[in-house]
Structures are given as structure tokens and as C-alpha cells.
């Protein structure tokens, strides 16, 4: 399977999946400018308004290009810090929320290991236009299984590594996050890892995505749900100022 990404694929995905925001934003900008012109608002204020909207339109695309197209996120060399071995004895799990850009890459990086892929997308709960559009164009990994977020069909203590890559924030309810992570703990072997990557609701992502940063969750929320799921220690490292890698080990 071809896993090479096209140039600017990340930023084009963001633009395509979230195009409704840009259409609505342009309509609102046009309406504001029309009202300002009607009331003879000064040119300076109008240009400030236009500049604010342009910042909101362009900055998410610039940051997305940096993170997804130029930072090396999809070459997965950032996984080297975890010293993961590739062996026929290993079982890896990758869990996504209906859009999978990583499973083929993981398999290419760890060809000997057994990779199982699960998708917890729920059309009744995950109704945002962006994820609906993303699901329509995703290239599904062979034998991907559709699951409920709290029911992973694997035996206890059977998995070495679980990947949760930009997926769990689609679960908006914290109790449901805890249930998913509890399932991850159940299926992990002793000393097995859960590796999760997420944007955060923090200052960097506010300046990148403005109000859109509320789609993400804070580091405190993630640390808390890992703890309530039964993981005793979770470390956080930064991958670019805009993404965090959470790593926890089952003791």
C-alpha cells in the first residue's frame, strides 16, 4: 500500500474538512463590512476587522502546514524516543475516530509486529461536518474493525503498544474518555504502553486556531482521565509547540 503523503496534504485536509467555517466566516465578514460602510465607519476600523478575519482564516492553515506537512510528524521518527522494538511477538493496536492516516505508516515502520486497527466513529455522536467529510475520504487499513469506544474486542493483557493519534478528542465527554482508556489499560500487557498525540487547549493553540482551540482539551484534563482510568504515571512531551505526546505504562 502506498503511504507516501502528497505535498501539503495536511493543510489541504484541514481546508477541505473545515470549509464550512471558511464559507461562514467570509459571509460574516462581508456582512460586517457592508454594515460598517452603511454607518460610515472609518477605514482604519474596517481594515482592522479585515485583518482580524484574515488572521483567523490563515493562521490555522499555516500552523497545520507546519505540524502536518513540515514537522516530520508522519515519518514517525518521534517514536524513537520510546525505543519500541519490532518483533513477531509484538501486538500493536491503533485506534482512530473514523479518519486513519497512520496505520499504514505504523505497519511500514514496524513490519514484523502484528497491527490491529479499530475505529470508534459513531455517526450519531460524531456529527461535526469535519469528521464526517474526513471519514468519506479515509483509506481504511485492511481488517479495520468498527467498535464502541468502551468495548475493544481483545483479551486482557494482550497488547504491547496502543496508539491514540489525534483521535480521542472526538470523544467530548470525559467519562467516556475514561472508559476508553480503561479498556486500553485492560488489554495492555504489564509494561505495555499507551501513546497518545493531541493538540491541547492551551495558549499556543489559541493563537493558532483562535476559538477553534476549544475543540481540544487541556493537559490537565488528559492527565486526569489517564489517572482515573487507572494509569499511575503519564508523561507529556511536546512535538512542536502545538502538539503533545502523552506516554503511559501499565504497571
Amino acid at each position: 500500500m502506498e503511504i507516501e503523503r502528497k505535498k501539503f496534504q495536511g493543510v489541504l485536509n484541514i481546508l477541505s474538512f473545515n470549509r464550512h467555517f471558511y464559507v461562514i466566516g467570509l459571509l460574516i465578514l462581508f456582512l460586517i463590512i457592508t454594515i460598517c460602510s452603511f454607518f460610515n465607519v472609518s477605514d482604519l476600523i474596517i481594515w482592522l476587522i479585515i485583518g482580524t478575519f484574515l488572521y483567523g482564516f490563515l493562521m490555522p492553515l499555516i500552523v497545520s502546514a507546519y505540524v502536518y506537512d513540515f514537522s516530520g510528524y508522519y515519518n514517525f521518527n518521534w517514536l524513537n524516543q520510546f525505543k519500541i522494538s519490532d518483533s513477531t511477538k509484538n501486538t500493536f493496536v491503533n485506534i482512530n475516530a473514523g479518519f486513519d492516516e497512520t496505520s499504514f505508516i505504523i505497519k511500514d515502520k514496524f513490519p514484523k509486529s502484528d497491527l490491529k486497527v479499530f475505529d470508534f466513529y459513531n455517526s450519531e455522536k460524531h456529527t461535526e461536518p469535519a469528521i464526517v467529510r474526513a471519514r468519506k475520504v479515509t483509506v481504511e487499513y485492511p481488517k479495520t474493525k468498527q467498535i464502541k469506544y468502551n468495548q475493544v474486542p481483545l483479551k486482557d493483557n494482550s497488547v504491547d503498544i496502543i496508539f491514540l493519534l489525534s483521535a480521542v478528542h472526538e470523544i467530548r465527554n470525559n467519562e467516556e474518555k475514561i472508559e476508553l482508556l480503561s479498556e486500553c489499560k485492560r488489554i495492555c500487557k504489564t509494561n505495555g504502553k499507551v501513546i497518545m498525540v493531541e493538540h491541547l487547549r492551551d495558549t499556543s493553540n489559541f493563537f493558532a486556531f483562535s476559538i477553534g482551540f476549544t475543540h481540544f482539551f487541556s493537559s490537565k484534563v488528559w492527565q486526569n482521565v489517564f489517572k482515573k482510568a487507572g494509569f499511575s504515571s503519564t508523561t507529556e512531551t511536546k512535538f512542536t509547540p502545538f502538539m503533545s505526546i502523552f506516554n503511559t505504562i501499565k504497571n
Side-chain angles (χ1 to χ4, degrees), residues 129-146:
I131 190 63
V132 173
R133 293 187 186 114
R135 184 166 176 78
K136 289 180 180 179
V137 301
T138 191
V139 179
E140 190 173 88
Y141 187 81
K143 298 182 180 179
T144 296
K145 292 185 179 180
Q146 194 77 28

Side-chain angles (χ1 to χ4, degrees), residues 9-55:
Q9 181 175 328
V11 70
L12 290 173
N13 283 344
I14 297 297
L15 184 58
S16 174
F17 301 158
N18 296 282
R19 58 184 179 269
H20 56 293
F21 286 122
Y22 288 89
V23 172
I24 293 171
L26 287 171
L27 290 174
I28 292 173
L29 177 58
F30 177 77
L31 179 61
I32 290 174
I33 292 174
T34 301
I35 294 173
C36 288
S37 300
F38 181 79
F39 287 101
N40 295 317
V41 176
S42 71
D43 290 345
L44 176 60
I45 293 177
I46 291 175
W47 280 110
L48 285 174
I49 292 171
I50 292 173
T52 300
F53 271 79
L54 287 177
Y55 180 93

Side-chain angles (χ1 to χ4, degrees), residues 235-251:
T235 61
E236 178 188 351
T237 56
K238 297 300 291 185
F239 181 79
T240 78
F242 307 101
M243 297 187 83
S244 287
I245 304 167
F246 293 89
N247 172 43
T248 189
I249 300 174
K250 178 179 176 180
N251 297 320

Side-chain angles (χ1 to χ4, degrees), residues 9 98 106 126 143 184 231 251:
Q9 181 175 328
I106 294 171
H126 306 145
K143 298 182 180 179
C184 291
F231 292 99
N251 297 320

